Amino acid sequence: MLSFKNSTILKILDYYKNIWALSYVSAVSHWDLETYMPKKGVVARGEALGRLSTIRQKMFLDKEFVGLIHMASQERGLSDEESGVVRVLLKSLSFYEKIPEEFLEEFENITNTTTVIWREAKEKDNFKIFEKSLSKIFDMNKQMAEYLGYKESPYDALLDLYEEDLTTKDVTNHFELIRDPLKELLGNIIKSRKYVETHELENAKYDKQKMSELNDKVLKTFWSDIDSFRMDISSHPFTTSFGKNDTRITTWYHDTNFARSLLATIHEFGHALYDMQSKSELEMTPIEGGNSLVIHESQSRFWENFVGRSSSFIKKFLPDMEKVVGKKLTAEDVSLYFNKVSPGLLRVEADEVTYHFHIMLRFEIEKGIIEGKLKIKDIPEIWNSKMKEYLGIIPKKDSQGILQDIHWSGGSVGYFPTYSLGTFLGAQWEEQIKKLKIKTDNYEDIKKYLQENIHQFGSTYTLDDLLKKNKMKFDPTVNIKYLQDKYSKIYNL
């Protein structure tokens, strides 16, 4: 059954393909910027992307197109997909009407050139190299919040860019609910006789070529259609989708700790799968793929935590892991390595318990700066102070602290909370899958469930509406109980 029949919607979608084409070209340019582009090309690339953003804005604000959107918003009897198109376009229209053209171009230009500055600062372990650029990015985010408007906190306007209607109060309440149970669980784990601060495999050197082969094998096991996606290397793993038949993921390689590469690859596959399993009919429309970052992160964290860390996955790929590190391994030992809980410096390496403290830290810093309570020059010290408070450790290098994430360099302020919310939602998807008696190594049935209940709809529904459609509501206690049960067994609590 066709999702799009309404004549006004069909006119909208026909015009929208022009906007989609610009977005497609821009996305390819962003992907190239992070993968293969020569460093010296950054200035011209930033200028080009800045110009593209304003061209896209002008196309969006075309009077006839705007009129069609408003006309469609008044029509009755729209399908869910048609209503989704109207909802997403109205939100984008509100953004483009409120943000000045010159501001948008400058923001796009700066955030693309600043990513290269961040890379250099991280490589040289020197926050000072990045400080001026970071200050500019936060200043522009403050200005963006003022343009967009908000009811309570200016941070609300930025959160809404990544998750519709998400507010500072929502995120604050989430962390207040989970903070004490996670602190208590972490404290009990650290006091356990089975607790170890470091597993030997974390420091074990590995063969990067063998690791690349393992990543390829895992991806081909999860998704047999290798002609619809590819994997490359970047300074920070990410996923970009140009359409369900062209999705790109990246991973990274280091000298030691092979799980860092493997789990990053699996995480990014979760993002890619969401886009690849979206209904074909939604391609080149405003609701193609997922735009809810909480839902998106629930997919990536589901695959990373519930599939990638599972005993069945470890047993399946154990021989390949042995080749990677060049020695005999046991499934039990690798399982301890993958599921060990211990405070660490890096968010992307964090275990399922300590992970959320890394997000709390970033949320509190972002909120503080946007609300004018914190200063950029003080962030490294504040970062270290909060790491000490939450996890009892302090980074010795900027690359292990303030410079570890790419997000701020790309202008993304308000993204981080979706990681924690998404992780908690991921536990609820796992609970539903478990109720259907689908095992963690039954990848085909897992994909089928996710496609039927989440992926096929793309961005048709908001987070709340998708949960209602699945007869669910966001419930953090599900993940708390999962963590308590899992780690009580591992650490004999």
Side-chain angles (χ1 to χ4, degrees):
M1 180 178 177
L2 290 175
S3 302
F4 306 112
K5 295 180 180 179
N6 181 279
S7 60
T8 305
I9 295 293
L10 291 173
K11 289 177 184 177
I12 287 173
L13 295 180
D14 183 60
Y15 180 86
Y16 181 81
K17 284 185 180 179
N18 300 312
I19 297 172
W20 167 85
L22 279 178
S23 299
Y24 184 98
V25 172
S26 178
V28 173
S29 295
H30 276 289
W31 173 81
D32 178 61
L33 177 69
E34 294 297 333
T35 51
Y36 298 113
M37 192 191 79
K39 285 184 179 181
K40 290 184 178 181
V42 65
V43 175
R45 182 61 55 87
E47 179 72 20
L49 288 167
R51 293 299 177 97
L52 278 174
S53 68
T54 59
I55 294 171
R56 189 174 190 273
Q57 181 183 36
K58 287 175 182 175
M59 293 184 70
F60 225 106
L61 296 179
D62 175 84
K63 287 184 180 180
E64 186 176 347
F65 184 56
V66 172
L68 286 170
I69 295 172
H70 287 304
M71 187 187 302
S73 71
Q74 300 301 314
E75 298 200 15
R76 298 181 179 180
L78 297 180
S79 68
D80 285 1
E81 289 82 2
E82 289 169 340
S83 295
V85 166
V86 174
R87 186 194 86 251
V88 171
L89 288 180
L90 283 173
K91 190 171 190 295
S92 296
L93 183 59
S94 175
F95 177 85
Y96 283 123
E97 287 176 335
K98 292 175 180 178
I99 302 296
E101 178 184 322
E102 61 276 8
F103 177 89
L104 186 63
E105 182 174 354
E106 183 183 6
F107 186 76
E108 185 72 27
N109 193 332
I110 285 175
T111 53
N112 285 292
T113 55
T114 296
T115 301
V116 177
I117 297 172
W118 163 77
R119 259 188 245 147
E120 180 188 356
K122 185 177 181 181
E123 288 169 3
K124 295 181 178 178
D125 260 317
N126 188 348
F127 175 69
K128 288 294 180 183
I129 294 173
F130 185 50
E131 184 177 348
K132 184 178 178 181
S133 297
L134 184 61
S135 181
K136 179 67 174 177
I137 283 174
F138 267 96
D139 284 345
M140 293 196 78
N141 268 280
K142 288 180 187 177
Q143 184 59 61
M144 186 182 294
E146 296 303 319
Y147 285 136
L148 294 173
Y150 50 88
K151 289 183 179 179
E152 296 182 10
S153 168
Y155 191 56
D156 292 347
L158 303 179
L159 288 170
D160 182 66
L161 294 174
Y162 301 98
E163 185 61 48
E164 284 183 67
D165 301 324
L166 184 65
T167 66
T168 307
K169 186 179 291 185
D170 294 331
V171 180
T172 300
N173 290 341
H174 170 69
F175 286 133
E176 285 181 352
L177 181 68
I178 70 173
R179 185 180 287 109
D180 287 345
L182 291 179
K183 275 187 175 180
E184 181 181 359
L185 179 58
L186 178 60
N188 290 336
I189 289 172
I190 291 174
K191 288 184 288 186
S192 166
R193 290 182 178 180
K194 296 190 73 176
Y195 174 75
V196 291
E197 192 170 315
T198 305
H199 191 285
E200 63 177 358
L201 284 174
E202 291 178 80
N203 297 317
K205 291 186 176 183
Y206 66 83
D207 185 315
K208 293 179 184 178
Q209 178 57 40
K210 297 293 184 184
M211 186 68 243
S212 176
E213 291 170 5
L214 172 55
N215 281 332
D216 282 334
K217 184 175 182 178
V218 168
L219 290 175
K220 288 174 183 176
T221 301
F222 290 164
W223 189 258
S224 59
D225 183 6
I226 60 173
D227 292 328
S228 63
F229 80 101
R230 61 175 288 132
M231 177 176 66
D232 294 277
I233 302 171
S234 65
S235 57
H236 193 105
F238 70 95
T239 298
T240 298
S241 179
F242 309 132
K244 67 175 293 160
N245 291 311
D246 187 359
T247 299
R248 319 285 177 92
I249 73 170
T250 68
T251 190
W252 53 8
Y253 298 95
H254 308 85
D255 293 328
T256 60
N257 200 0
F258 77 87
R260 190 176 178 189
S261 175
L262 181 56
L263 292 175
T265 301
I266 297 172
H267 176 102
E268 297 306 328
F269 170 77
H271 283 304
L273 185 66
Y274 193 170
D275 295 318
M276 292 190 291
Q277 292 202 137
S278 178
K279 280 196 294 190
S280 297
E281 193 183 351
L282 304 186
E283 282 198 279
M284 305 180 205
T285 77
I287 56 172
E288 175 183 15
N291 72 351
S292 162
L293 265 296
V294 172
I295 300 175
H296 239 303
E297 293 303 339
S298 76
Q299 301 308 288
S300 58
R301 294 288 285 166
F302 168 85
W303 281 90
E304 176 186 351
N305 291 333
F306 296 106
V307 177
R309 298 181 195 271
S310 69
S311 59
S312 58
F313 175 85
I314 291 168
K315 289 175 183 176
K316 183 177 183 65
F317 293 99
L318 186 64
D320 303 280
M321 295 177 193
E322 291 177 334
K323 293 175 184 177
V324 168
V325 294
K327 64 178 181 179
K328 194 71 177 173
L329 301 172
T330 66
E332 292 75 20
D333 197 38
V334 174
S335 183
L336 285 174
Y337 165 49
F338 275 35
N339 293 285
K340 177 186 72 69
V341 172
S342 178
L345 297 171
L346 303 180
R347 174 186 64 84
V348 292
E349 289 183 8
D351 56 78
E352 294 177 276
V353 177
T354 63
Y355 183 84
H356 303 281
F357 295 110
H358 289 273
I359 306 302
M360 289 180 208
L361 176 158
R362 288 155 174 79
F363 163 67
E364 290 163 7
I365 288 176
E366 287 186 342
K367 176 177 177 291
I369 295 173
I370 296 300
E371 292 181 347
K373 298 172 184 176
L374 301 177
K375 296 180 179 178
I376 294 293
K377 67 180 180 64
D378 299 325
I379 293 184
E381 184 180 342
I382 294 167
W383 184 290
N384 292 353
S385 174
K386 288 186 177 293
M387 282 293 290
K388 178 69 174 176
E389 175 189 352
Y390 284 141
L391 296 174
I393 52 178
I394 298 175
K396 295 179 181 178
K397 301 188 295 183
D398 288 342
S399 61
Q400 295 178 326
I402 186 68
L403 293 176
Q404 65 181 272
D405 293 305
I406 194 174
H407 302 64
W408 289 340
S409 73
S412 299
V413 177
Y415 188 127
F416 282 118
T418 66
Y419 281 117
S420 181
L421 293 162
T423 301
F424 272 75
L425 180 58
Q428 291 185 246
W429 298 128
E430 190 268 346
E431 182 184 53
Q432 297 301 312
I433 287 170
K434 189 183 292 183
K435 286 179 181 177
L436 296 173
K437 301 190 185 304
I438 299 174
K439 296 181 179 180
T440 54
D441 59 351
N442 189 341
Y443 307 134
E444 293 307 311
D445 281 357
I446 289 175
K447 288 187 295 183
K448 183 179 178 181
Y449 170 85
L450 295 175
Q451 181 178 37
E452 290 178 351
N453 295 280
I454 306 166
H455 300 166
Q456 67 162 317
F457 305 118
S459 299
T460 298
Y461 304 107
T462 63
L463 169 61
D464 286 343
D465 287 341
L466 182 68
L467 291 177
K468 287 176 185 175
K469 190 173 181 63
N470 282 279
K471 298 180 174 58
M472 296 163 59
K473 65 177 182 177
F474 186 71
D475 183 5
T477 63
V478 173
N479 193 45
I480 292 293
K481 186 177 186 305
Y482 153 76
L483 293 173
Q484 289 170 338
D485 290 347
K486 174 176 179 174
Y487 290 102
S488 290
K489 292 176 184 176
I490 292 175
Y491 289 96
N492 291 336
L493 301 183

